[in-house]
Amino acid sequence: MTQSAPPSFLIPMDGLHNLRAVEGYAAADGRRMRRGRLYRSGAWERMSAKDREWFAEHVRTVLDLRHPDEAAGATAASFGQPPATLIPHSIFRPDVSMAEFIAELNAQRGTGISSERYLDYLRAGAAERFARAIELLADPARYPVLVNCTAGKDRTGILIAMAMDLIGIDDETIGAEYERSNAGIDGLIAYLSEIGRRPEGSLEAMRARMATPADRVLGFLAGVRTEFGSVAELLAPHGVTERTVAQLREILLE
């Protein structure tokens, strides 16, 4: 008997890839994540007019985690102006070029994505920038919020995982949410090709290289707990207070 494909949870769009809502997940206190509050996606430059209509109806604030070099490199391929509510907030240090930072990461960890590579983001100064992003997510006036990076799976995936952890979502659910980006890989490949960054290799090789198995984000969280104690303890020295976390819970849980 032919098995049906598992649901992708993607919101269908013309040119906005890997778009989905982060909602409905159960927290340890019995509450669930509110619907229509938090979204995630890849880069927004290729949005069609129809996509922008959806944006206007569903999103108040866009938190763009890309490095300025990435955003500048995609500008020429944009179908329109940036969203009016855009907050550029690079997770990677904007004073170091993207090429230089990636070369340094590749020298340390190779070119593939891994839990240790994610942890290296923190060691390179991203902890403070993730802390500022959590503070932005703890402001009720900004909602509904969409978080994006280029793929919507790595930096976006880490930030969403941190937020879910802080509000009491269990690891299995965090891993399942991260893994849903696998359904957006073909959209990412199309986006990169359209802006002149077509990845090398066969389609199968590209898909394998861009995959998001749950163990990558769960390994990252395990590493955070080993090195810092918890996500909250990682962020606390950078100004994320218990009050901030409580506000985040009230915003995202019902």
Side-chain angles (χ1 to χ4, degrees), residues 3-200:
Q3 292 184 339
S4 60
S8 72
F9 301 93
L10 294 183
I11 299 171
M13 289 280 148
D14 294 332
L16 183 61
H17 61 279
N18 201 17
L19 171 65
R20 62 187 189 271
V22 185
E23 61 186 21
Y25 295 124
D29 63 5
R31 293 187 288 174
R32 288 187 174 272
M33 292 189 72
R34 299 179 191 271
R35 298 191 178 278
R37 301 290 283 165
L38 181 62
Y39 297 92
R40 58 182 293 173
S41 76
W44 46 262
E45 280 85 5
R46 303 296 288 177
M47 285 195 297
S48 67
K50 182 179 178 182
D51 294 347
R52 288 176 182 271
E53 288 176 6
W54 181 92
F55 234 75
E57 183 177 348
H58 292 86
V59 176
R60 176 175 293 178
T61 303
V62 180
L63 182 56
D64 190 333
L65 305 182
R66 290 178 296 172
H67 189 281
D69 291 353
E70 292 173 276
T75 298
S78 180
F79 282 158
Q81 294 299 311
T85 55
L86 181 68
I87 300 177
H89 182 73
S90 175
I91 290 301
F92 300 149
R93 287 176 50 189
D95 60 319
V96 176
S97 75
M98 185 71 173
E100 181 181 352
F101 181 69
I102 294 301
E104 185 176 321
L105 282 176
N106 290 346
Q108 293 172 343
R109 299 293 174 190
T111 58
I113 294 298
S114 66
S115 301
E116 279 298 322
R117 189 180 178 96
Y118 286 165
L119 289 165
D120 284 340
Y121 294 176
L122 305 181
R123 298 168 186 137
E128 187 274 337
R129 304 194 69 77
F130 277 118
R132 299 289 78 74
I134 290 293
E135 289 179 335
L136 289 167
L137 292 180
D139 181 353
R142 299 193 184 279
Y143 282 81
V145 173
L146 180 138
V147 179
N148 82 272
C149 53
T150 293
K153 66 185 183 70
D154 298 310
R155 286 160 290 182
T156 298
I158 294 172
L159 179 59
I160 295 297
M162 286 181 170
M164 292 175 72
D165 177 271
L166 290 170
I167 66 174
I169 308 296
D170 65 83
D171 281 4
E172 182 178 358
T173 303
I174 292 172
E177 166 54 35
Y178 173 86
E179 204 162 69
R180 288 177 177 177
S181 283
N182 282 322
I185 288 174
D186 285 354
L188 168 62
I189 293 169
Y191 166 79
L192 292 174
S193 298
E194 288 165 0
I195 67 168
R197 289 179 53 193
R198 180 169 176 78
E200 296 180 357

